[in-house]
Amino acid sequence: MATLTGTIHDAATGSSLAAKVSVLSSHGRFLAPEDSLATVGTTNPFFYADGTFSLEGPCGQVDVRVERGTEYAPLEMTVDLPQHGTVNLELPLQRWISLPKQGLYPGNTHIHYREFETRPEERLRFDSSVEDLTVTIISVLQRGELEYATNRFPVGEMEHPTTPGHVLDVGEETRHNAWSYGTGYGHVMLVRLQEQVEPLSRGVLVDESAPDYPPLIDACAAAQEQGGVTIWCHNGKGMEAPIAAGLGRLDAVNLFDPYWTDPEYDLWYHLLNCGFRLPISTGSDWFVCSANRVYVQLEDSFSYDSWLNGLKSGATFITNGPSLTLRVAGQPPGSVLDVRTSRRKQVNTFVRWQSLRPVQRIELVCNGEVVAREEYSEGLREGVLRTRLAVPNDSWIAARCSGRQRDSYGHAQWAHTSPVYVQSGGANPATRASAEFFVAEMERAIEWVSTQGRFEHDDHRQRMLEIFKNGREQYTRLASS
C-alpha cells in the first residue's frame, strides 16, 4: 500500500481551504482517511478534509476530485500510486466568481440532522465551511421520540467554530402533518429566535393520538413577536400557508428545500398573484445534501441582522450554482416601482447570468407567465437578456434559468430571483384564478378540520374552522375584486 496526501488551498491567495474530496482507486473503490466524515444524500462519495488529508491506497491509477461550495471550480486530477511510498498532491482551487465581493452573501436556511448522526458538531463545522456559506441555519424539530442530532444544540445564534464573521443559527422547524391529507398544516422555519416556541409539532408527528392543534400561525406570531423571522418550507405546501401569507405571518418562502423534489414554482406564483410580497429562500432539509443556497444582496458590510433584513425585503436569488441578476427599470429584486403616472406604462428589464456549468434556458416571468425566453442548445456560461415589457396592470416580475448539466449531487442547474413589484393601477389579471385556487384549498381544509381533525376541545376545532373560513372569505374577495 502507498500513502496519498493532499494539501488544499486557494489558488489566488494560497490560504488553506476546507473541501470535500473524492478519491477512487483503479478498481473504482472509494478511498478515505480513517475516521473521516463522509458526505450524505444523493452525492457521489466524498469525505470532508480540513485543508489536508492522508490516506492509504493500492497501486495503480487514482482519480481525485476536490470541491468547495459553488463559487470554486471543481479540481480533478489523476495520479499513479506506487506499490510503496508517498505521493504528495498540491490541490489549488480556483474561484470562478466571488459574489461576496459584490455584496451577495450565501446562506442555507433549512438544515437538520437525523437521529443516526453521531458527529453533529463536526458535521456542522464542515457543512458551513465546505459549502462556503456565510449563514448556516439548522433547526430543532420533533417526530415522536426520535432524538434528532440537531436537537442537541440550544436555540439561538452560535459562534462559528472556524470562520469569524460567519453565522450559525439554531432555529426550529415547527410543523404539522396529517397522513390523510399529506402535508397537513405545513412546515415553518422559525429563525433568529431568542427562545424556543412551543409546541414543536402537532398531531401524528407527536404521537398517534395528539391533537391537530394549535395552528402554525400561532408559532409564526410568537416568533415574530420576539424578533424572529418566519420562512415557510417545502415550496409553500400545507393548508396554513395561504392563511399565514394573508395575515402577514410569512417573511419568506423556501423553494426546493427537500433535495428529492424538482424545481416547482406554482404555489409561490399563486401567492404572488394574490398580491403578497413574498421573497424566496432555499435550503437542503436533511443534511447538506444539495448545493441549494440563497444569496442576499447587502448595500453595506455583512451582519446577520442586515442579512435577514435583506432576505425579508426580497433582495435575493436562489440557486444551486448559477449567478442570476435582475433589474427592472434599473431596480433590483424586492423593489416596488410605481408607474401609475407613466403614459406608456412600460419598463426595461435586464437579466444577466454567469455559471460554471452551461445554462440552456433563461426566462423572464411576469405574473406567473413566461414573457421572454432565450434557449441555447449547447448552453452558455454567461449572457444577458434585455427586453421592454408593457405593464398595464399591477405585476410582479422575476427571472429564472436552468441547465441540463448536473453537479456532484446529481442535480441539474437552476436559479430564480425574487420579484420586482410594479404598481400600474390596473388589477393583476392573474389574481382571480390564483385566488380561486386558494378558495378551493380552503374548502378542502374546512372539510378536513370538520371531519378528520382531532381536537381535545371543541373550541379548538371551532377556532381552526374560523381560521380557514376567514381565509376562504379573504380569497373569495380577491377572486371577485
Side-chain angles (χ1 to χ4, degrees), residues 140 153-157 169-172 190 192-197 226:
V140 299
F153 301 104
V155 165
E157 187 176 347
D169 187 16
V170 183
E172 70 176 81
L190 308 178
R192 197 57 156 126
L193 295 177
Q194 305 304 310
E195 58 185 31
Q196 187 169 306
V197 175
Q226 57 176 282

Side-chain angles (χ1 to χ4, degrees), residues 125-136:
R125 176 174 67 87
F126 273 119
D127 278 344
S128 55
S129 57
V130 166
E131 288 302 320
D132 206 18
L133 298 168
T134 307
V135 174
T136 305

Side-chain angles (χ1 to χ4, degrees), residues 27-210:
H27 298 96
R29 183 166 64 91
F30 175 57
L31 305 177
E34 289 186 12
D35 202 35
S36 61
L37 191 65
T39 57
V40 294
T42 58
T43 181
N44 297 329
F46 285 90
F47 61 85
Y48 288 129
D50 198 6
T52 62
F53 66 88
S54 179
L55 56 84
E56 291 188 343
C59 68
Q61 176 179 312
V62 172
D63 297 325
V64 180
R65 183 179 177 91
V66 184
E67 294 187 8
R68 175 182 169 89
T70 59
E71 296 186 21
Y72 284 88
L75 174 64
E76 294 182 324
M77 184 178 296
T78 297
V79 297
D80 289 321
L81 285 186
Q83 288 279 2
H84 305 286
T86 299
V87 174
N88 300 308
L89 297 181
E90 290 293 324
L91 300 166
L93 294 182
Q94 183 74 49
R95 272 192 181 271
W96 68 271
I97 196 170
S98 181
L99 293 177
K101 287 186 177 180
Q102 303 174 33
L104 285 158
Y105 295 90
N108 182 321
T109 58
H110 185 182
I111 305 170
H112 40 75
Y113 300 155
R114 287 179 173 171
E115 69 279 7
F116 51 74
E117 173 57 57
T118 60
R119 298 157 67 179
E121 293 86 359
E122 188 177 2
R123 184 171 298 282
L124 181 58
R125 176 174 67 87
F126 273 119
D127 278 344
S128 55
S129 57
V130 166
E131 288 302 320
D132 206 18
L133 298 168
T134 307
V135 174
T136 305
I137 301 177
I138 65 173
S139 65
V140 299
L141 70 165
Q142 179 184 11
R143 186 190 295 270
E145 300 299 320
L146 295 179
E147 296 183 0
Y148 288 108
T150 37
N151 289 0
R152 304 180 192 181
F153 301 104
V155 165
E157 187 176 347
M158 301 167 56
E159 182 178 350
H160 196 287
T162 59
T163 313
H166 288 215
V167 171
L168 293 175
D169 187 16
V170 183
E172 70 176 81
E173 184 184 359
T174 186
R175 55 189 186 161
H176 173 270
N177 283 68
W179 305 142
S180 59
Y181 191 89
T183 53
Y185 298 155
H187 295 51
V188 189
M189 281 291 295
L190 308 178
V191 306
R192 197 57 156 126
L193 295 177
Q194 305 304 310
E195 58 185 31
Q196 187 169 306
V197 175
E198 298 290 350
L200 278 176
S201 287
R202 300 122 175 90
V204 294
L205 291 175
V206 178
D207 60 53
E208 290 298 326
S209 62

